Amino acid sequence: MSKSPFDESRKNHWRILGKTVVKNLASRGFEALYADTREEALEEVLKIIPEGASVGVPGSVTIREIGAMEALEERGCPVIHHWDPSLSPDERLQKLQDELLADYFLTSSNAVTQDGMLVNIDGNGNRVSGMAWGNNTLIFVVGMNKLTATIDEAISRTRNTATPPNALRLKLDTPCTKTGYCVDCSSPDRVCKALLILERATGGRKSHVILVGEDLGF
């Protein structure tokens, strides 16, 4: 498929906006940078994570889209994740716990506000737990498609843009898989139970944010 003649203007807009958001993230204590492409984003991830370090990867489509899992394993990094369908319930629970204890916690964010706040929603709570506290290094890789103007828009994005496709991916029987948007259900399969707003980087650890000038994840 040929590129639209307007694609470069869109990319330039994302670069300009992305650099503004990077400054705002830095003012909130995050070590932030902008990468034009997923390949550049992966290079930045590999600069941060040394060979042999363990890496916990929770339920993140973005991290898989940039090829981080394979690249890290190739350089000898144990990659811990719970998405393996062959895991027993007990094994999956252990993986969820081990993700949080890895040297690096590598994930994405459901939304980022223009003024530098990160907003995430979770079903099990494992992902937002790893974002809120840890004595390891936290790394977010976030496509510019997840940028919002306000905190209210960010929260809406977590519920109406990120959650329905995730529920569909997991083949869950939730109302949002029928409507396409959140109805604040009471379904036992509900995947939006814990909402986390990181207004600033939390203390006691390094927190990196890599904004990427591509459409990544949900």
Side-chain angles (χ1 to χ4, degrees):
M1 183 183 295
S2 60
K3 288 187 176 182
S4 161
F6 308 111
D7 281 350
E8 192 56 33
S9 295
R10 294 189 183 99
K11 290 289 285 186
N12 282 336
H13 174 234
W14 269 359
R15 287 186 195 110
I16 294 165
L17 183 55
K19 289 175 182 177
T20 300
V21 179
V22 161
K23 290 179 182 177
N24 293 335
L25 285 161
S27 74
R28 293 176 179 271
F30 296 99
E31 298 191 21
L33 59 86
Y34 184 83
D36 247 352
T37 65
R38 67 186 67 193
E39 291 81 12
E40 290 177 16
L42 178 57
E43 288 177 10
E44 295 298 335
V45 168
L46 297 179
K47 286 178 187 177
I48 297 168
I49 302 174
E51 294 183 12
S54 61
V55 185
V57 181
S60 171
V61 171
T62 296
I63 298 307
R64 289 158 175 83
E65 285 184 325
I66 69 170
M69 311 283 282
E70 297 83 0
L72 288 165
E73 288 173 346
E74 285 175 7
R75 68 198 315 238
C77 292
V79 178
I80 305 159
H81 67 100
H82 65 276
W83 272 19
D84 184 347
S86 69
L87 294 174
S88 69
D90 287 344
E91 289 172 332
R92 184 174 181 274
L93 179 59
Q94 188 61 54
K95 291 287 186 183
L96 286 165
Q97 294 173 333
D98 291 345
E99 287 170 2
L100 303 176
L101 300 175
D103 299 324
Y104 291 80
F105 192 73
L106 178 61
T107 186
S108 187
S109 183
N110 295 135
V112 181
T113 64
Q114 289 179 3
D115 60 356
M117 290 189 279
L118 302 172
V119 182
N120 285 276
I121 207 160
D122 205 356
N124 292 319
N126 62 298
R127 193 168 57 93
V128 295
S129 294
M131 295 172 180
W133 184 86
N135 60 1
N136 51 13
T137 298
L138 174 61
I139 307 172
F140 292 95
V141 181
V142 192
M144 286 291 288
N145 55 302
K146 297 181 178 182
L147 195 68
T148 66
T150 68
I151 196 72
D152 286 341
E153 288 179 15
I155 293 171
S156 176
R157 188 187 192 284
T158 66
R159 297 187 187 282
N160 297 299
T161 303
T163 297
N166 261 318
L168 287 165
R169 175 182 63 81
L170 294 168
K171 297 180 172 59
L172 300 176
D173 186 22
T174 55
C176 66
T177 64
K178 312 296 192 302
T179 63
Y181 59 86
C182 178
V183 298
D184 194 16
C185 72
S186 298
S187 168
D189 286 338
R190 177 175 170 141
V191 292
C192 49
K193 296 174 182 174
L195 181 70
L196 175 70
I197 300 173
L198 285 176
E199 297 185 357
R200 281 171 170 73
T202 53
R205 73 199 302 196
K206 285 188 176 180
S207 297
H208 299 265
V209 181
I210 302 170
L211 293 180
V212 191
E214 289 198 33
D215 191 319
L216 293 170
F218 294 146

